[in-house]
Amino acid sequence: MAEESANPERISEAEQAVMEALWARSPLTANEVADAVAPARGWTLATVKTLLSRLVAKQAVQTAPDGKRFLYSPRVARVDFATGESKRLVDRLFGGSAAGLFAHLADAEALTDKDLTQIEALLKELRK
Amino acid sequence: MAEESANPERISEAEQAVMEALWARSPLTANEVADAVAPARGWTLATVKTLLSRLVAKQAVQTAPDGKRFLYSPRVARVDFATGESKRLVDRLFGGSAAGLFAHLADAEALTDKDLTQIEALLKELRK
DNA sequence: TGTAATCGACTACGGTTGTAATCTTGAACC
DNA sequence: GGTTCAAGATTACAACCGTAGTCGATTACA
């Protein structure tokens, strides 16, 4: 089997902001990532570069040389990241029960009518 | 209004383990907390004491003197903690849409049949 | 060809986290 | 009353995180 992504090192919150830019569009240069991300977070270019380096070190991002600079692209899919984080939450807080999470959100009135309608529709779909 | 818990400082993962012990039963002495959590995590008593101190500093735990020692009890409810963490996740990953999280879990096949049945039942209940 | 701009690499630094040892103080025991 | 024990307080320290400045090399322009 092809080189399985060995260790999914954790992506921090600031790092995630960088990933979001790359998930939205890639490959990007460091400058393009900064343009996409820095203003909203009040970051300098240097900060974005540091985060990119760390993400490369964590093997969450890969680089391809393009002349004198690099083009960055995600190495982990957003879907996988989301799954990992979601499962972590469900495990840590609800003993692994996704239904527990759902019940909790309902209890906390964190579900909008729209949420309920959409979930209902999804359930129907799943049951088909 | 009665002294609102000013700043819900973040509780780290190790700290959560300590909180779990206190959420399960409280008040407890530091030793009792250690008995409850240290073995499973391979911690020494000193580690548990450090975590308790930090939790007190973060105002997540309160103390009551009991002779020469303290009795510790949670100051934040588990429910509130869970709600906060869950919302954070939903915001960070699914643009605030709980249905988005649910759809994602479904997609990732992270929902068991049991989950589905329970969620269905909950939905029916909510719709009543 | 010398100089300026650009880019990634390296360094920095305070805060948090994980993990723990040591210090201090008060109580209990002999 | 001096010694030992238990408990919290203080200190430690490496890794990680947020945020950024500086360095060295390469490129491009004058």
Side-chain angles (χ1 to χ4, degrees):
Chain A
M1 86 211 77
E3 181 218 348
E4 200 65 42
S5 82
N7 58 332
E9 247 174 308
R10 261 171 87 44
I11 291 172
S12 79
E13 191 155 344
E15 285 160 1
Q16 192 199 327
V18 167
M19 293 301 293
E20 294 292 350
L22 294 173
W23 281 324
R25 193 161 60 87
S26 78
L28 293 181
T29 67
N31 271 299
E32 288 168 335
V33 173
D35 286 346
V37 161
R41 316 266 308 201
W43 284 342
T44 69
L45 175 59
T47 299
V48 173
K49 283 182 178 179
T50 300
L51 293 172
L52 279 170
S53 301
R54 289 183 183 165
L55 285 167
V56 170
K58 287 183 182 179
Q59 307 198 306
V61 161
Q62 61 191 158
T63 58
D66 172 49
K68 65 173 295 193
R69 62 207 165 150
F70 284 156
L71 294 180
Y72 296 86
S73 9
R75 238 186 126 171
V76 308
R78 190 179 198 282
V79 172
D80 292 337
F81 175 70
T83 300
E85 293 294 303
S86 302
K87 280 194 181 157
R88 274 174 52 81
L89 183 88
V90 168
D91 286 347
R92 254 165 43 97
L93 264 76
F94 304 101
S97 157
L101 165 59
F102 179 79
H104 180 84
L105 288 174
D107 237 42
E109 288 174 21
L111 297 179
T112 64
D113 269 347
K114 194 173 160 199
D115 282 327
L116 292 179
T117 308
Q118 290 181 343
I119 293 172
E120 240 161 16
L122 268 162
L123 267 180
K124 204 166 296 173
E125 194 61 29
L126 285 172
R127 286 310 201 186
K128 245 189 349 199
Chain B
M1 89 210 72
E3 183 220 347
E4 200 63 41
S5 79
N7 57 336
E9 249 174 308
R10 258 168 94 43
I11 291 172
S12 79
E13 190 154 345
E15 285 160 2
Q16 191 198 329
V18 167
M19 292 302 293
E20 294 293 350
L22 293 173
W23 282 324
R25 193 161 60 88
S26 77
L28 293 181
T29 67
N31 270 301
E32 288 168 334
V33 173
D35 286 346
V37 293
R41 316 264 310 201
W43 284 341
T44 71
L45 174 59
T47 298
V48 174
K49 284 182 176 178
T50 299
L51 292 172
L52 279 171
S53 301
R54 289 180 183 168
L55 286 167
V56 170
K58 288 184 181 179
Q59 306 198 306
V61 160
Q62 60 192 157
T63 58
D66 172 49
K68 63 173 298 190
R69 63 209 165 147
F70 285 155
L71 294 179
Y72 296 85
S73 9
R75 240 186 124 173
V76 308
R78 190 180 198 282
V79 173
D80 293 337
F81 176 69
T83 300
E85 294 294 303
S86 303
K87 280 193 181 159
R88 274 175 53 79
L89 183 88
V90 168
D91 286 346
R92 256 167 41 97
L93 264 76
F94 304 100
S97 157
L101 165 58
F102 178 79
H104 180 84
L105 289 174
D107 237 43
E109 288 174 20
L111 298 178
T112 64
D113 269 347
K114 194 171 162 200
D115 283 326
L116 291 178
T117 307
Q118 291 181 342
I119 293 172
E120 239 160 17
L122 268 163
L123 266 180
K124 203 167 296 177
E125 195 62 28
L126 285 172
R127 286 310 202 187
K128 246 189 354 199

